[in-house]
Amino acid sequence: MKLIGMFDSPFVRRVAISMLRLDLPFEHANWSVGADFDRIRAYSPLGRVPALVLEDGAVLVESGAILDYLDDRVGPARALVPASGAARRLVLQVIAQAIGAAEKGRDIIYEGVWRPPEKRHEPWVERVRGQMHGALGELEKAAGKVSDQTWLAGSRLTQADITVACVFTFLADSVDVAKDSRSYPALERLVARCEALQEFVATRRPWFRPSAGG
Ligand SMILES: N[C@@H](CCC(=O)N[C@@H](CS)C(=O)NCC(=O)O)C(=O)O
């Protein structure tokens, strides 16, 4: 399989980490949505990453749909999202908050990258920043229930932990979460534990700001 997109994207990175944890080998196409837009669109006309090219040439887009396919491929015993019940609901809700926060962070970045300065609208950026912190506050509550021996959904690391860690690291690197005098100590502790794991270390990259000019 070929995974298209750079690892500084939390959407791409959560797929890469999941594939490493699930022992699913892949080739990495380290392509930028700025400079490599045409190359990406040759595989996915939407022009968004991640895109996962399967062995038969089919191309999957949208990280949630890709991860669902990977879970289905390895079966329920190894899947990173629990198959049913309260654990499934918790994991999916935590992921939804984290992805919401990541999308708000991405929107803040794109306001600066794709719009010329005279067209940027600061009140909108502030609103989006507030939404991002709203979601991070919910994640802080969830992380507050985790001990040093457990993960967000109990004794086993799940997609909730992977996604939360990818998103928090991305936001800390790219939109300086700390500058708004909000603190997330429980999240920071959980994310530090995740970032110490080998799959996270193998996919950690410095933040690469996309450029509209390519
Ligand atoms: N909901 C999507 C979001 C993916 C996304 O926003 N990717 C960004 C990179 S971080 C992208 O491709 N941006 C280029 C664009 O949409 O034009 C997912 O989870 O896969």
Side-chain angles (χ1 to χ4, degrees):
M1 288 182 275
K2 173 149 87 179
L3 176 60
I4 299 174
M6 298 176 74
F7 289 164
D8 66 345
S9 157
F11 311 103
V12 177
R13 190 175 178 218
R14 74 186 188 126
V15 172
I17 289 171
S18 301
M19 294 183 82
L20 292 172
R21 279 194 83 83
L22 295 173
D23 297 317
L24 294 169
F26 63 93
E27 172 198 336
H28 181 211
N30 187 34
W31 298 344
S32 155
V33 292
D36 302 303
F37 189 51
D38 292 339
R39 266 207 286 190
I40 292 169
R41 291 196 83 204
Y43 286 91
S44 170
L46 177 60
R48 216 162 65 170
V49 297
L52 184 69
V53 187
L54 304 185
E55 291 90 338
D56 65 1
V59 180
L60 304 185
V61 298
E62 187 66 37
S63 60
I66 294 170
L67 291 169
D68 186 67
Y69 164 76
L70 298 175
D71 270 359
D72 186 50
R73 184 162 160 155
V74 299
R78 296 179 61 216
L80 293 165
V81 174
S84 64
R88 179 176 175 83
R89 189 177 86 178
L90 176 92
V91 167
L92 290 178
Q93 277 304 301
V94 167
I95 292 172
Q97 296 284 0
I99 290 296
E103 287 172 349
K104 295 300 167 190
R106 178 198 62 194
D107 292 350
I108 294 167
I109 294 161
Y110 285 1
E111 183 78 1
V113 169
W114 304 106
R115 280 186 195 277
E118 70 278 9
K119 294 200 170 148
R120 288 178 199 149
H121 189 53
E122 202 47 41
W124 181 81
V125 174
E126 280 312 304
R127 177 195 157 100
V128 172
R129 242 185 130 80
Q131 290 175 285
M132 175 188 79
H133 281 297
L136 288 176
E138 294 301 299
L139 294 176
E140 174 69 10
K141 284 186 216 160
K145 297 178 186 152
V146 174
S147 77
D148 284 348
Q149 280 76 46
T150 62
W151 302 97
L152 283 161
S155 58
R156 186 172 156 249
L157 181 137
T158 68
Q159 188 56 242
D161 307 284
I162 295 174
T163 298
V164 164
C166 290
V167 167
F168 195 76
T169 295
F170 159 70
L171 293 176
D173 286 355
S174 64
V175 298
D176 192 6
V177 177
K179 87 167 188 194
D180 302 316
S181 314
R182 306 278 277 270
S183 68
Y184 301 105
L187 263 180
E188 278 170 13
R189 268 196 308 278
L190 174 67
V191 171
R193 281 171 63 213
C194 291
E195 291 290 356
L197 300 172
Q198 61 178 8
E199 299 86 356
F200 286 78
V201 172
T203 58
R204 183 82 167 92
R205 297 289 183 277
W207 163 241
F208 176 85
R209 189 181 169 83
S211 132

